[in-house]
Amino acid sequence: MVQAYILIQTEVGKATAVAQSISEIPGVLQAEDVTGPYDVIVRAEAETVDDLGRLVVAKVQQVEGITRTLTCPVVHL
């Protein structure tokens, strides 16, 4: 399994709705609204890096209210 943190910026006032919508997507382990330069932080997992990319592009980025995402894969060194 490949896991990643997805850092999300949203339109003003949309963080809670975005986090709620994303938390219902299969493969999303956790979605929380936060303060700081990002509005929502998501932890997600998929079988492969390609599957993770498809999850981000085809599902997460399609949620209304998102303006930008940054995907940070988890590495085990």
Side-chain angles (χ1 to χ4, degrees):
M1 292 297 266
V2 177
Q3 293 189 347
Y5 288 96
I6 306 166
L7 311 178
I8 299 173
Q9 293 177 333
T10 69
E11 296 172 7
V12 174
K14 301 278 185 159
T16 300
V18 166
Q20 178 64 35
S21 295
I22 290 174
S23 69
E24 298 171 4
I25 297 173
V28 170
L29 304 175
Q30 191 171 16
E32 296 186 290
D33 28 334
V34 297
T35 60
Y38 294 95
D39 303 305
V40 177
I41 297 180
V42 173
R43 180 141 180 154
E45 70 178 1
E47 286 292 324
T48 67
V49 172
D50 289 339
D51 291 338
L52 180 64
R54 282 189 281 279
L55 170 70
V56 172
V57 173
K59 305 228 171 124
V60 172
Q61 289 182 348
Q62 300 307 312
V63 172
E64 186 176 335
I66 292 177
T67 58
R68 180 174 295 196
T69 65
L70 174 66
T71 304
C72 304
V74 174
V75 296
H76 302 282
L77 304 175

